[in-house]
Amino acid sequence: MSTAVLQAVAPSASGGPACALRLLDGTLAGRLAGQLRQQRLDRIVVLTRPQWTDACRAAVGNCEVEAPDGLAGALERISELADEDAGPFVLAHAELLMHDELVAGLIRDPRVATGILAAGWSEHSGPGPCHTGIRLSRGRVVAAESAYHRVARGSADFLGVCKVAGRDRGRLASVAGELAEMVDPELPPGWGDELERKVRRCTDHIGQDQTTPVRRRAEHQLETLRDDVVSLTLVGLVRRDVALTSSYRRELFWERPLSREQVREAQRRMAAIDESRVLLDSAVKVKDGFFTTFLVSPYSKFVARWCADRGLTPNQVTTISMAMGLIAAACFALGTRAGLIAGAVLLQLAFTADCVDGQLARYSRQFSKLGAWLDSVFDRGKEYVVYAALALGGVRIGGAPSIWLLASAALALQTVRHHIDFAYAAEQRETVAASVHGPLDDPGEAGVTFWEAMPDELPLPQRGVSDVARLGIRASHAFERTSVLKWMKRIVVLPIGERFALISVTAAVFSARVTFLSLLFWGVVAAAYTVTGRVLRSLT
Amino acid sequence: MNPTLRAYRDDGALAQAARRADLPVSSLAITTIGVVLLVAGNVLPVASVGTASLAGVFAFVLCGVAGAAGRAHPRLEWLVPALVRGGEYGAVLWLASSAGAMALAPAYGLLAGVAFHHYDIVYRLRHLQVGPPRWVAVAGGGWEGRLLVLGLAASVDLLIPIAIIVAVWCTLLYVVESVATWIAVARDEQRIVDTGELEEEDVP
């Protein structure tokens, strides 16, 4: 049976548990419990302080309310509950206010078996004063923060909801049990100092000229810090090598209100958001090419919504995109100027449809392995059929057959470039999966590599790497933060959007031969750039 | 070696057998040497062009197979599958271009069919966690099998018909096997959706 464990130890400004704060229709915890039940989590257990059991029982109808003895008791209870059944296990704070879609997204996403709800740090705002940071690498959570553990270089926030797949429940039980023994009867050495450090960081931030709501929020979070079992369990899972991925908040609403005013404010802000619009914005891929992000996605997401309203499945849209690509190829194969122009236009339409199917899949949450494979294979199929068609057209209007050699060279170059990407990613995933995490009782992080820590936090590695190489890579990182240069980096590598645009423009304006020569030239430049960068990264 | 990277190489029977041996050479180094010899044989102006080109191809095959038996580089091993791919495609292009204009279009077809298989390996590993079965790699010859066949065909001036046969055979083999697998997967996924079991971990 699927179980959800909610921890309700955060106090509200007026005394009593924060999870019992009233909304327009129910309480915070009641709303969260309802959202979880909608995702077929039948058994809900609330862990709270002894003096709040009645308030919690009233706040969340029809669930089990328990008052374990301190941090150790809560961890033991989690360990027992994890061992009791099969099915997904959700561990969360009880006083979270968020869109239904955020809960559904984490629990129903087939791509996230064991994972957390996370919010990336935007370029202009880092972590809040008392947030729980995490570090993600290759899509996997490699470090997490709790009251007693720190993260060297975070990249996102943990939003207080963790889902453990049925097959990982045993490991959750053993990790929670291990942590329970560790903190009982007293905290391991160093944990007290780490907690004090965090408290000091929080109060320093509060002491600065902050607005009253922010200060009050930070003060409340301080009180819940030491008893937060959700983040502590997450650290345990990460350090015991459980593979955790994440589901992102994107534009959806999330808040952890701890007083009546904060609840009112949060409800007002949530009501002001057009939920279907933010759902749509959240369906657009975060890290896409320049051409796709600025010239296709702004309108393709509305096409995606139109398709969702008509009941089209992503696989149907993928097939339509491939059909359009084939018609574009047929036009290119004519070889005439009119054929080339028509083919160019149709190719762009096919590419737009290709973006739509991904956004549709994310918007309507219809993922399938077949769909993912079809999308990738049809992308390649469209491109290479178009190459062949351009060569055919070139020969038909009287060109030399050597254009086939150019087409073959372009195909070879593009395939090899892709395989460099695939192989490098596979190597990185293996490295991340094999990386050793620190022991559970160490507040700091052992074995953090050069890439993950700011240079002023850790000494630079002793290996014989030239300073020039290190400077080059640090410069590249600096470029990443500047907007223009970040986009230039993404354009140079000639991703699919730029390639299709290049084919369309060169074929329509010039000729197929020019298309192949520009693909070859730009492709070689892109290959040199990426291979050099990756070799340097691998060696440092 | 990372098993994923090993699968990306698309080794045929010969290279798979070589893998079981253990040569005290760096796999990366010897594969790079193979690529260099291939390029040298085809680009440098040597006295008898045809022979040098073929010699380059066979040298690349030899070095690549030796690389399968060699030791993995701790950090740069990801370059090896790309080198093998690049060498294979380059070899086909050079063989085709020296066999005349009629060989170029079949060469494109051959590369396209083989590329489908190479992409299929990657995408199946990514989405199904299981790549194409081993018999497919053997039946398609693997990169070294194909290059040996094409090299021998070029040496007896039969490249064009052999290339067409290899192209058709490989494309049919790879596409049919892949589609059959995916039809079975789609049927399984449909069954899971229909019976309401939406949890990924319930898939056997």
Side-chain angles (χ1 to χ4, degrees), chain A residues 369 373 380 384 418 538, chain B residues 75 78 108 119-120 123 189:
Chain A
K369 298 177 182 168
W373 182 84
R380 308 284 88 81
Y384 299 138
H418 273 144
S538 291
Chain B
R75 285 189 293 275
W78 53 273
Y108 185 90
Y119 280 111
D120 193 36
Y123 295 142
E189 282 188 310

Side-chain angles (χ1 to χ4, degrees), chain A residues 293-315:
Chain A
T293 309
F294 290 105
L295 294 169
V296 180
S297 291
Y299 66 88
S300 70
K301 60 187 178 192
F302 297 111
V303 179
R305 183 159 65 184
W306 183 90
C307 291
D309 293 338
R310 294 279 169 297
L312 286 172
T313 69
N315 289 357

Side-chain angles (χ1 to χ4, degrees), chain A residues 190-467:
Chain A
W191 283 34
D193 298 328
E194 182 61 34
L195 178 63
E196 279 207 26
R197 223 178 59 100
K198 290 217 162 58
V199 168
R200 226 175 310 134
R201 188 178 77 183
C202 248
T203 44
D204 282 349
H205 198 99
I206 293 169
Q208 289 167 28
D209 194 19
Q210 298 290 330
T211 60
T212 317
V214 174
R215 207 184 312 143
R216 237 181 265 152
R217 189 167 308 158
E219 280 167 354
H220 288 145
Q221 282 173 344
L222 217 59
E223 293 180 46
T224 68
L225 210 54
R226 84 185 63 230
D227 292 319
D228 183 355
V229 80
V230 180
S231 311
L232 189 57
T233 314
L234 177 64
V235 172
L237 287 172
V238 168
R239 292 205 180 185
R240 282 287 172 264
D241 296 322
V242 176
L244 284 144
T245 46
S246 43
S247 176
Y248 286 94
R249 191 196 101 195
R250 300 295 303 277
E251 314 284 328
L252 293 165
F253 184 83
W254 177 94
E255 189 56 72
R256 192 180 175 197
L258 296 173
S259 77
R260 229 170 293 162
E261 300 87 55
Q262 288 176 21
V263 168
R264 228 175 286 140
E265 168 75 19
Q267 276 209 290
R268 197 185 53 78
R269 285 207 329 257
M270 192 166 78
I273 294 177
D274 177 4
E275 185 163 351
S276 81
R277 181 61 197 268
V278 297
L279 253 172
L280 200 54
D281 290 339
S282 305
V284 175
K285 226 199 281 188
V286 180
K287 206 177 171 187
D288 223 340
F290 175 84
F291 182 80
T292 316
T293 309
F294 290 105
L295 294 169
V296 180
S297 291
Y299 66 88
S300 70
K301 60 187 178 192
F302 297 111
V303 179
R305 183 159 65 184
W306 183 90
C307 291
D309 293 338
R310 294 279 169 297
L312 286 172
T313 69
N315 289 357
Q316 287 169 334
V317 176
T318 311
T319 316
I320 291 173
S321 166
M322 184 66 190
M324 281 201 237
L326 289 174
I327 302 174
C331 294
F332 281 138
L334 295 174
T336 59
R337 179 59 53 193
L340 288 175
I341 294 177
V345 170
L346 279 165
L347 187 64
Q348 287 308 303
L349 288 177
F351 180 66
T352 304
D354 182 40
C355 295
V356 166
D357 75 32
Q359 286 159 5
L360 175 62
R362 266 170 251 124
Y363 179 69
S364 55
R365 250 189 304 108
Q366 295 177 48
F367 303 106
S368 70
K369 298 177 182 168
L370 175 68
W373 182 84
L374 266 180
D375 191 20
S376 311
V377 165
F378 279 178
D379 273 355
R380 308 284 88 81
K382 261 181 283 202
E383 187 167 358
Y384 299 138
V385 165
V386 160
Y387 287 8
L390 282 170
L392 257 175
V395 168
R396 179 180 284 210
I397 57 163
S402 64
I403 199 171
W404 279 107
L405 192 62
L406 287 176
S408 307
L411 181 151
L413 177 64
Q414 189 51 50
T415 307
V416 170
R417 283 211 307 126
H418 273 144
H419 277 83
I420 295 174
D421 293 342
F422 297 147
Y424 182 70
E427 174 89 358
Q428 291 300 98
R429 272 198 305 271
E430 172 96 354
T431 311
V432 167
S435 62
V436 175
H437 296 111
L440 276 180
D441 57 354
D442 181 8
E445 276 193 270
V448 179
T449 68
F450 167 69
W451 283 112
E452 294 157 347
M454 287 307 290
D456 47 45
E457 271 192 46
L458 274 191
L460 293 174
Q462 305 299 312
R463 277 178 273 163
V465 176
S466 75
D467 288 316

Side-chain angles (χ1 to χ4, degrees), chain A residues 6-7 10 23 28 31-32 35 90-104 106 116-121 126-133 156-162 217 221 224 228 230-231 247-258 262-263 265-271 273 275 278 282:
Chain A
L6 304 178
Q7 192 193 25
L23 300 168
L28 276 178
R31 180 193 159 95
L32 180 58
Q35 287 171 326
V90 172
L91 180 59
H93 295 131
E95 55 275 339
L96 300 176
L97 180 64
M98 45 190 168
H99 274 143
D100 294 347
E101 205 33 61
L102 210 50
V103 179
L106 173 68
I116 61 172
L117 208 54
W121 292 345
C130 310
H131 282 202
T132 35
D157 274 333
F158 170 52
L159 294 181
V161 184
C162 176
R217 189 167 308 158
Q221 282 173 344
T224 68
D228 183 355
V230 180
S231 311
S247 176
Y248 286 94
R249 191 196 101 195
R250 300 295 303 277
E251 314 284 328
L252 293 165
F253 184 83
W254 177 94
E255 189 56 72
R256 192 180 175 197
L258 296 173
Q262 288 176 21
V263 168
E265 168 75 19
Q267 276 209 290
R268 197 185 53 78
R269 285 207 329 257
M270 192 166 78
I273 294 177
E275 185 163 351
V278 297
S282 305

Side-chain angles (χ1 to χ4, degrees), chain A residues 468-482:
Chain A
V468 175
R470 254 187 253 143
L471 260 167
I473 294 158
R474 235 185 278 179
S476 170
H477 263 217
F479 281 173
E480 182 74 31
R481 280 180 231 122
T482 322

